[in-house]
Amino acid sequence: MNPEQKCTVFDASDKRILETLQNASEESGIFCATREWAYGKLRQSFNSRGDCFDRCGAVVFEYGGAEVLRVPIACLPVTIGRGGKVDYLLEYPGISRLHFHLESIGNLVRICDDASTNGIYLNRKKIDAEDLCDGDEVKLGTVTFRIKKG
């Protein structure tokens, strides 16, 4: 995404979108399937521990108080690792070539392990996938990063 390009976001809350989907009258066909998919995603969003991220913002990884990686929300989903065919590089000890990916679910950002050797620890707990919050600590290999909203 071009840094000068403005992010255009549909201005509606997840709750309003959910109400619109629930009130839809069509009960079959592609609209019904799309409605059920969207309803499932919104249900995940409402039941999450994660913080809402600005859709025009970014997920920032900090190490030692310095920003080492900034991923724009508009670019999600993305793959991250220390090499190979990833969208973003994080070259630190213990990080796999394809370590994890980030995806968005509504205004939430989810981190998902991609069968990495050393796994992902979120706030000292081993996880396969979890929604991120501002201030979370994510340990990848031997390095612990702090997550910030950007």
Side-chain angles (χ1 to χ4, degrees):
M1 182 169 168
N2 182 341
E4 289 96 36
Q5 184 179 5
K6 289 191 175 186
C7 182
T8 304
V9 178
F10 178 69
D11 188 23
S13 69
D14 287 347
K15 187 173 182 177
R16 179 69 184 125
I17 294 169
L18 182 59
E19 289 171 359
T20 302
L21 290 169
Q22 286 175 327
N23 294 333
S25 61
E26 186 174 320
E27 295 298 327
S28 62
I30 191 71
F31 181 80
C32 183
T34 303
R35 183 184 64 202
E36 291 306 313
W37 173 85
Y39 184 64
K41 292 292 185 184
L42 288 169
R43 194 175 320 111
Q44 288 176 342
S45 173
F46 290 146
N47 295 328
S48 171
R49 70 171 280 283
D51 283 342
C52 289
F53 281 75
D54 181 348
R55 292 180 186 175
C56 294
V59 178
V60 177
F61 286 75
E62 291 183 349
Y63 177 63
E67 181 179 312
V68 295
L69 179 65
R70 176 177 288 265
V71 180
I73 303 297
C75 293
L76 299 180
V78 297
T79 56
I80 301 171
R82 67 171 168 76
K85 297 179 179 179
V86 294
D87 299 311
Y88 289 88
L89 289 174
L90 268 179
E91 299 185 78
Y92 291 90
I95 294 180
S96 299
R97 283 186 290 273
L98 173 58
H99 201 103
F100 66 97
H101 67 275
L102 296 174
E103 61 187 20
S104 63
I105 299 178
N107 285 347
L108 302 173
V109 175
R110 180 166 291 164
I111 186 169
C112 305
D113 191 5
D114 284 328
S116 62
T117 302
N118 293 315
I120 298 173
Y121 289 82
L122 180 64
N123 301 322
R124 298 187 186 103
K125 178 184 170 192
K126 187 168 175 59
I127 57 132
D128 291 320
E130 188 64 66
D131 298 329
L132 295 175
C133 292
D134 188 47
D136 277 345
E137 290 184 354
V138 176
K139 183 177 179 189
L140 307 167
T142 60
V143 181
T144 300
F145 299 93
R146 169 114 19 224
I147 300 298
K148 295 288 184 183
K149 292 181 180 183

